[in-house]
Amino acid sequence: MFKRISVVLLTLGLFACGGAVDPVENPSSSSSSSSSSSSGEVQQLSAYERGKKIYHDDTNGLLCAACHGDDGGGVAGAAERPLPGCEMEDATEVICSSVTALETYIRNEMPKGSGSKCVGQCAQDLAVYIAEEFIGIDSNPESCSEQVSKGSLARRMNKTELYYSVNDAFGVGGNAFLELDTDGTLVGFPTAGSNLETTLEWTQEYLDAAVNAVDIIVDAGAFNPNCGNNSTCIRNAIADVGKQLFRGALTDAELDKIVSTFEDISAEVDATEGLKAALLSVIASPRFLFLVPDEEKVTHRNLTAKELADRLSLAFTGSIPDSQLLAAVDSDRLSGSALEAQVDRLIDSEKFDRFIDLFANGWLGLDVAGEKLDPLVAGLSQAQWDTLLNDMKTETRMFLKHIFVNNLPLSDLLLADYTFVNKRLADHYGLNAPTNSNTNFVKVDLPASSHRAGLLTQGAILAGGLHRENVSYIDRGKLVISAATCEVLRVDPDLLAEALTTIPEDATEADKIKLRAADSSCSGCHSKIDPIGWVFTRFGVTGEVVDVDPDGATVDTGGWLFERQFDDARGMAEIISDRGTLETCFASRFLVHSVGRSFNHAADKEDQCQIDSVVDQTKRADGSIGARDFLKALATGRISTTTGSIIE
């Protein structure tokens, strides 16, 4: 069982000793004063045993035991507090509820003053040893056993979900709901009940949209049971369509009321209007619009099959459950391998394209990317820019789908040396086009000379950091921090206003970066934003490669980030990938999208424990995490399939 421990790594001075050493990635590459084992023999050891060798090796430059002692009890003049002292209550909290959190800290911060020197398997194995031997954290990834205490608010469907749900049921009519006002969002996702208001004004707009949708559906013959004035026929037809839209059978009382409405309107007007009134009774019903818990709030419980079906379907298809999910609900077969099989089916379905769209919109702002640009600045007409931007967004969507469907390493999101292009986009990027078609997109390898790697250098993502007339390297840097680390950069408006007065308006951008680095009110954020953002000055307003930076000088994208040096976008992405925040940030964002509440891996013990458990569970022998495996584990794990009573 994971112990819920508040670990005070900084106050303890964990790995407080150490100087500049070369990174240790694999324990087999470290020599040991007490062992001459070959690398093959080392690899056969358990993670605990490999970590023990690293900890007690006084030749690898990490100096673990030299600081903390062979027994973890501390060394006078170095890290004097014993490692078990992380359970002490008198220190500043740095949450460490799992081996993954400890691994991340080791990888990023240790040895003190020379972070990123124990990375990869080195950090994994060392974390296992320290956790089990000195701190008391169980390294078994299955052991995060605390019950989920938080629940999600009942919520209504957002307008995109209404669009897909109605179109899936009838083939037409969904467009009527796209006219509704923009839904409120939580970190970009319109899925949290607290952000999806249902005011009287919104309710009236919804009812108007429902009327329009029903007119379209019935007039198009998409709902035409050929019942005439036969009330029994109408009752059966409404029972069928209602079960799909309500995700459950209608009660006799509900059917009686709808049939009565049909009969009244048919007698007053005609059978067609009666049919419309009957269908409107379903589409305008709260049972269609709202996702409401099946049971009263309790301390902790498993979701019902119906609740799980709703959650899975809305997350992966943006729509109400299909016939196969409804059948699984009826037979109460949504757990274990059956649940995993349903997730696999949804990932393999055509509707998974919707997930790619919905998730990329919330996570990366893909839907609004490029809206700020005046295309005339780039010498393009609005039509030309729209076409190119659409190509770039297609590139990103196909790239994401390729990684998830094929279970490629999640790190490919940042580091992939391939992308997808048509002829027009290949020419724009300066790549050799393997196709002469502007319709078909094909996978291409990226040469080193392209300066591109993964998502971050794709045109659509770069377009998220544009002002009307120029590139904003600051906005591009902020987007990366948000998407790859989930770090929230909080700015005090008064301090910002004061700091801006100290930076001359005519200063070069390079000088502004230096001034911000020297100003304590700016450096906290800009020590990360500026080096990340400056990398993207290699790319112009339309994502093309350029050789001149914003100051008119030859582009130099080299820099330092988290005490590591990089030369270009790939090097910068490798540093971010090595920190391990992509996995936990992606998980947090996916869970907001699917569960519909806030998740904070950095500050919330329960969220951290549950997310780290999934990271540990899906990590392969080589340290990579399969993107599809990760999605499945998040969607089928305890954090998604159980609920508590605390509503935040």
Side-chain angles (χ1 to χ4, degrees):
M1 310 294 284
F2 276 131
K3 291 183 70 176
R4 306 303 302 180
I5 302 173
S6 296
V7 185
V8 196
L9 297 173
L10 290 174
T11 306
L12 288 175
L14 184 58
F15 298 117
C17 293
V21 294
D22 292 329
V24 178
E25 296 187 8
N26 190 308
S28 66
S29 66
S30 308
S31 62
S32 173
S33 60
S34 61
S35 173
S36 58
S37 299
S38 69
S39 61
E41 291 172 330
V42 171
Q43 286 303 307
Q44 294 176 9
L45 299 175
S46 68
Y48 174 90
E49 292 168 327
R50 293 194 302 268
K52 182 177 180 179
K53 291 175 71 68
I54 297 169
Y55 182 88
H56 294 283
D57 184 351
D58 60 2
T59 67
N60 60 18
L62 297 178
L63 305 178
C64 306
C67 283
H68 299 284
D70 288 337
D71 61 356
V75 174
E80 298 186 2
R81 297 176 90 178
L83 289 179
C86 64
E87 298 185 35
M88 298 172 70
E89 299 179 354
D90 62 338
T92 305
E93 286 192 349
V94 176
I95 304 304
C96 185
S97 59
S98 70
V99 174
T100 294
L102 180 57
E103 174 195 335
T104 300
Y105 191 87
I106 292 171
R107 182 172 60 239
N108 297 338
E109 307 294 340
M110 297 300 142
K112 195 68 175 177
S114 297
S116 302
K117 299 304 180 184
C118 179
V119 298
Q121 191 176 354
C122 171
Q124 296 170 31
D125 295 343
L126 190 54
V128 168
Y129 176 68
I130 292 173
E132 294 189 357
E133 184 69 14
F134 301 126
I135 300 179
I137 301 175
D138 189 342
S139 65
N140 178 2
E142 298 293 334
S143 60
C144 183
S145 60
E146 280 198 17
Q147 294 181 337
V148 173
S149 64
K150 298 174 187 174
S152 303
L153 284 171
R155 74 168 179 93
R156 64 168 173 83
M157 286 194 279
N158 60 52
K159 68 178 188 178
T160 303
E161 292 166 342
L162 290 167
Y163 162 77
Y164 281 131
S165 296
V166 170
N167 272 8
D168 285 348
F170 302 103
V172 295
N175 284 350
F177 297 99
L178 296 181
E179 302 302 317
L180 295 171
D181 285 344
T182 301
D183 294 304
T185 62
L186 174 65
V187 293
F189 294 93
T191 55
S194 57
N195 296 83
L196 292 171
E197 296 182 348
T198 310
T199 62
L200 287 175
E201 181 180 1
W202 186 92
T203 301
Q204 185 57 58
E205 291 177 358
Y206 174 74
L207 293 174
D208 291 342
V211 170
N212 292 337
V214 166
D215 284 340
I216 294 170
I217 292 165
V218 174
D219 291 346
F223 180 64
N224 182 16
N226 295 313
C227 291
N229 290 317
N230 187 322
S231 297
T232 301
C233 178
I234 288 293
R235 186 185 187 92
N236 292 335
I238 290 295
D240 288 341
V241 74
K243 181 177 181 179
Q244 180 181 4
L245 295 178
F246 287 2
R247 291 85 73 196
L250 279 70
T251 65
D252 286 340
E254 287 172 326
L255 286 170
D256 289 343
K257 187 173 182 179
I258 292 173
V259 170
S260 177
T261 298
F262 164 76
E263 292 172 343
D264 290 345
I265 299 300
S266 294
E268 185 175 340
V269 187
D270 57 37
T272 298
E273 291 302 312
L275 182 64
K276 289 182 178 180
L279 183 58
L280 181 63
S281 297
V282 176
I283 293 180
S285 170
R287 283 194 62 187
F288 169 59
L289 175 62
F290 286 93
L291 307 173
V292 180
D294 288 345
E295 301 177 13
E296 292 295 323
K297 295 185 182 70
V298 293
T299 301
H300 172 83
R301 69 172 174 84
N302 294 327
L303 295 184
T304 66
K306 177 183 178 297
E307 290 169 333
L308 269 177
D310 279 349
R311 179 166 289 181
L312 287 180
S313 189
L314 288 172
F316 286 106
T317 74
S319 181
I320 54 178
D322 61 12
S323 58
Q324 293 189 54
L325 270 174
L326 290 176
V329 171
D330 288 342
S331 61
D332 198 22
R333 289 182 54 82
L334 267 183
S335 61
S337 60
L339 177 60
E340 292 182 359
Q342 287 290 346
V343 175
D344 273 325
R345 181 180 68 83
L346 294 174
I347 292 175
D348 290 330
S349 73
E350 291 183 1
K351 292 180 182 178
F352 187 64
D353 287 345
R354 299 177 185 174
F355 166 78
I356 297 298
D357 257 354
L358 296 172
F359 188 73
N361 291 347
W363 181 39
L364 303 168
L366 190 65
D367 53 337
V368 297
E371 289 184 352
K372 296 180 181 179
L373 178 67
D374 179 356
L376 295 178
V377 174
L380 300 174
S381 68
Q382 187 64 53
Q384 289 173 320
W385 172 235
D386 289 344
T387 299
L388 180 60
L389 184 60
N390 184 65
D391 288 344
M392 294 190 293
K393 291 183 178 182
T394 300
E395 170 195 19
T396 297
R397 294 183 186 109
M398 292 188 68
F399 175 81
L400 290 170
K401 184 176 180 180
H402 177 73
I403 289 174
F404 286 109
V405 170
N406 294 291
N407 202 27
L408 299 178
L410 199 68
S411 58
D412 272 15
L413 293 172
L414 298 181
L415 303 177
D417 58 359
Y418 57 84
T419 191
F420 292 81
V421 295
N422 60 3
K423 175 66 166 61
R424 182 170 43 239
L425 190 56
D427 291 345
H428 184 68
Y429 284 170
L431 302 174
N432 292 324
T435 176
N436 289 319
S437 170
N438 284 326
T439 302
N440 298 323
F441 281 70
V442 295
K443 182 173 176 281
V444 296
D445 293 330
L446 295 171
S449 59
S450 72
H451 302 286
R452 300 182 190 275
L455 271 173
L456 304 182
T457 56
Q458 292 178 2
I461 308 305
L462 294 169
L466 299 177
H467 285 171
R468 182 169 178 79
E469 297 181 356
N470 63 334
V471 170
S472 169
Y473 65 88
I474 291 177
D475 283 353
R476 284 179 171 176
K478 287 164 61 178
L479 189 151
V480 172
I481 291 171
S482 173
T485 75
C486 287
E487 182 175 351
V488 178
L489 301 175
R490 304 189 186 280
V491 179
D492 184 319
D494 295 332
L495 287 178
L496 176 61
E498 182 179 349
L500 289 175
T501 63
T502 67
I503 300 177
E505 292 184 6
D506 59 351
T508 65
E509 293 301 323
D511 285 341
K512 289 178 182 178
I513 289 176
K514 294 176 182 177
L515 290 168
R516 287 193 290 265
D519 188 332
S520 60
S521 62
C522 299
S523 60
C525 293
H526 281 277
S527 62
K528 302 168 187 174
I529 295 173
D530 290 345
I532 292 175
W534 191 257
V535 166
F536 300 113
T537 59
R538 171 62 72 182
F539 305 98
V541 291
T542 61
E544 77 282 11
V545 173
V546 298
D547 297 320
V548 178
D549 69 21
D551 294 330
T554 300
V555 171
D556 179 3
T557 57
W560 289 79
L561 183 65
F562 303 121
E563 299 183 352
R564 289 176 61 183
Q565 190 172 12
F566 61 87
D567 295 324
D568 54 18
R570 169 172 285 279
M572 181 270 295
E574 287 174 349
I575 292 173
I576 294 177
S577 179
D578 286 346
R579 290 182 69 80
T581 57
L582 174 65
E583 295 89 341
T584 56
C585 181
F586 178 90
S588 297
R589 294 298 187 250
F590 172 78
L591 291 167
V592 172
H593 167 69
S594 61
V595 177
R597 68 165 175 86
S598 64
F599 285 83
N600 190 334
H601 176 271
D604 186 281
K605 294 181 182 180
E606 179 175 289
D607 292 346
Q608 184 184 86
C609 180
Q610 297 293 339
I611 290 172
D612 286 350
S613 168
V614 175
V615 172
D616 289 339
Q617 171 190 338
T618 53
K619 191 169 290 184
R620 305 176 199 177
D622 64 358
S624 68
I625 294 175
R628 183 181 183 126
D629 291 341
F630 201 50
L631 273 184
K632 284 176 58 179
L634 288 169
T636 62
R638 183 185 301 108
I639 198 167
S640 292
T641 61
T642 62
T643 187
S645 60
I646 299 175
I647 304 297
E648 294 183 335

